[in-house]
């Protein structure tokens, strides 16, 4: 008797509040969708009891990812690639407002990272042959070519952005937003999901990600790839709005004469950055996290100084020796998985 009454009551409550409580009585579940963009697999997970809404949001996002990829690719298409083609002729290039906004952000991040994040090195990336999405190069460029690039090095500060157009001094500047476009896209993706009333989600682009809300009772937990293995060596907890970005020497590389050459270049030397295997940054903005991870990787063993200058509190680096260095605030979020790293040093400067 009592059970029946309670059941009826629940039904009435459900009907009355159906509009307010989406999916009353439905079980929350994780809706997963995958899509290839930015040369990697983008995985969207939405934790929800309204799968229809999640499907619609995923579909809307998928179309935008393709569009962004085409517009921001430095060498193919009519967006950034057209800007590069035009700059190579020494002429001003027309830019859409969105791309102009990205370039302004990129310029600000170049300044904030003390030049370690340098999107003006498109020509150098091409010289090294790391501009192909598919195949890595097989050997380094000729020394004189690197020296020439360094001697004529185009600067991000040479780029002038004004209403609808960009101008560079000379014809050497080629823009490559590969170090932060994924982050910029993830910020846009998270904003779109929020517009679609998605309260709990994670967008993961090949290990770089940003989250909304939680996964039920617990925070989202994500794996950090072991730079010298196939699996993950740590898990970190990401709370609402967090972006977790890693730059490493294992994404695109080749071996030549016993040495590893990878795709993150130090604009000061014209060569792959040295000192670290990977850097992971957690902060509340994906574009900044992306550029910061690239910049700290370029800073190498000097990363703590740049992190402090940039006010980044959650950073973890794997050094060339396989040691782990991390900030105190990061260590609260990290759990090592499997065999522990040979040495873990928690930095206490904040
Ligand atoms: P991933 O794209 O593998 O996640 P990053 O975010 O560090 O790694 O971006 C690396 C890409 O950024 C390179 O492939 C290249 O296109 C570009 N790049 C390389 N060196 C730099 C640098 N010093 N500053 C800005 N962009 C860079
Ligand atoms: Mg980056």
């Amino acid at each position: 008797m009592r059970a029946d009454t309670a059941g009826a009551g629940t039904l009435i409550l459900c009907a009355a509040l159906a509009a307010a409580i989406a999916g009353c009585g439905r079980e929350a579940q994780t809706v997963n969708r995958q899509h290839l963009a930015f040369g990697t697999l983008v995985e969207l997970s939405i934790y929800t009891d309204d799968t229809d809404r999640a499907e619609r949001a995923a579909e809307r996002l998928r179309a935008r990812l393709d569009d962004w990829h085409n517009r921001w690719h430095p060498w193919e298409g009519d967006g950034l690639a057209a800007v590069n083609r035009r700059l190579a002729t020494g002429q001003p290039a027309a830019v859409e407002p969105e791309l102009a906004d990205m370039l302004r952000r990129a310029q600000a991040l170049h300044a904030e990272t003390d030049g370690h994040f340098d999107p003006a090195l498109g020509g150098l990336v091409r010289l090294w042959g790391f501009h192909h999405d598919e195949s890595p190069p097989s050997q380094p460029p000729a020394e004189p070519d690197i020296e020439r690039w360094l001697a004529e090095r185009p600067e991000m500060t040479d780029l002038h952005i004004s209403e609808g157009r960009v101008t560079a001094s000379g014809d050497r500047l080629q823009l490559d937003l590969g170090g932060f476009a994924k982050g910029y896209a993830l910020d846009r993706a998270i904003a779109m999901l929020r517009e679609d009333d998605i309260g709990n989600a994670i967008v993961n682009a090949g290990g770089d990600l940003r989250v909304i809300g939680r996964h039920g009772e617990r925070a989202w937990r994500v794996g950090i790839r072991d730079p010298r293995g196939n699996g993950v060596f740590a898990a970190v907890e990401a709370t609402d709005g967090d972006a977790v970005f890693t730059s490493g020497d294992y994404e695109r590389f080749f071996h030549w004469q016993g040495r590893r050459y990878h795709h993150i270049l130090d604009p000061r030397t014209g060569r792959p950055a040295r000192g670290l295997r990977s850097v992971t940054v957690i902060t509340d903005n994906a574009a900044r996290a992306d550029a910061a991870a690239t910049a700290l990787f370029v800073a190498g063993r000097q990363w703590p100084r740049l992190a402090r200058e940039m006010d980044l509190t959650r950073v973890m680096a794997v050094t060339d020796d396989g040691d782990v260095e991390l900030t105190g605030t990061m260590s609260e979020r990290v759990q090592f998985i499997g065999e522990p790293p040979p040495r873990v040093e928690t930095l206490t400067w904040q």
Side-chain angles (χ1 to χ4, degrees):
M1 261 308 262
R2 286 184 72 177
D4 283 347
T5 315
T10 308
L11 270 180
I12 291 161
L13 187 71
C14 243
L17 298 183
I21 308 169
C24 183
R26 277 182 272 171
E27 288 266 319
Q29 55 178 291
T30 312
V31 174
N32 290 304
R33 289 290 171 273
Q34 301 186 335
H35 186 62
L36 273 176
F38 298 103
T40 189
L41 191 66
V42 180
E43 296 180 88
L44 168 66
S45 305
I46 300 177
Y47 185 76
T48 182
D49 56 13
D50 187 345
T51 48
D52 289 345
R53 179 192 307 222
E55 301 280 0
R56 283 194 303 273
E59 193 48 40
R60 201 160 83 94
L61 185 57
R62 196 179 61 80
R64 295 298 285 147
L65 284 170
D66 285 338
D67 185 40
W68 292 330
H69 174 82
N70 293 332
R71 283 203 231 179
W72 304 340
H73 197 289
W75 317 117
E76 289 161 21
D78 301 328
L80 183 63
V83 171
N84 276 337
R85 286 195 295 270
R86 186 92 175 135
L87 291 180
T89 67
Q91 302 291 313
V95 278
E96 296 171 325
E98 183 186 57
L99 190 51
D101 177 60
M102 277 182 97
L103 292 174
R104 277 193 205 95
R105 288 284 304 279
Q107 224 166 20
L109 285 161
H110 170 255
E112 197 195 347
T113 61
D114 204 12
H116 291 78
F117 166 75
D118 185 2
L121 48 58
L124 185 66
V125 174
R126 271 190 95 111
L127 183 61
W128 275 88
F130 283 119
H131 58 301
H132 293 297
D133 287 343
E134 301 83 22
S135 52
S138 54
Q139 64 178 67
E143 290 287 321
D145 290 342
I146 300 177
E147 294 309 321
R148 191 170 326 117
W149 186 86
L150 284 169
E152 301 172 355
R153 183 177 156 193
E155 299 279 349
M156 203 54 193
T157 43
D158 293 339
L159 188 74
H160 302 287
I161 309 159
S162 61
E163 286 156 42
R165 59 185 222 160
V166 293
T167 343
S169 336
D171 57 6
R172 304 271 305 159
L173 203 153
Q174 292 286 280
L175 295 158
D176 179 344
L177 299 179
F180 110 124
K182 221 193 294 174
Y184 193 90
L186 258 51
D187 285 333
R188 297 284 303 273
I190 292 293
M192 277 177 67
L193 293 171
R194 286 196 162 125
E195 273 166 34
D196 285 341
D197 272 337
I198 300 296
N200 299 287
I202 182 163
V203 191
N204 186 337
D208 294 329
L209 56 103
R210 193 165 171 212
V211 311
I212 307 179
R214 305 167 60 77
H215 187 269
E217 292 297 302
R218 57 177 176 83
W220 292 101
R221 259 164 62 93
V222 295
I224 306 297
R225 192 170 145 185
D226 177 351
R228 289 294 177 271
N230 289 324
V232 298
F233 79 100
V236 301
E237 220 177 70
T239 62
D240 187 39
D242 275 350
V244 185
F245 272 69
T246 302
S247 278
D249 66 3
Y250 51 83
E251 285 286 354
R252 256 185 249 175
F253 65 93
F254 61 91
H255 282 108
W256 192 69
Q257 297 189 341
R259 269 178 96 157
R260 174 187 286 252
Y261 293 84
H262 60 81
H263 72 315
I264 304 174
L265 303 175
D266 185 335
R268 297 162 299 186
T269 64
R271 292 163 173 84
R274 302 225 163 270
L276 301 177
R277 292 179 183 171
S278 74
V279 177
T280 302
V281 173
I282 306 184
T283 186
D284 62 359
N285 177 292
R288 188 163 181 269
D290 196 352
T294 304
L296 294 177
F297 189 92
V298 172
R301 300 302 286 262
Q302 302 299 313
W303 74 263
R305 199 167 59 195
L306 183 57
R308 193 166 31 202
E309 272 170 32
M310 291 183 70
D311 246 342
L312 295 165
T313 54
R314 296 193 171 96
V315 184
M316 172 166 69
V318 180
T319 71
D320 258 355
D321 308 320
D323 297 339
V324 171
E325 298 175 344
L326 76 180
T327 58
T329 337
M330 183 66 137
S331 69
E332 294 161 14
R333 298 280 195 99
V334 174
Q335 228 186 341
F336 293 109
I337 295 170
E339 202 178 310
R343 208 170 67 89
V344 178
E345 186 182 352
T346 307
L347 306 171
T348 52
W349 43 261
Q350 61 221 317

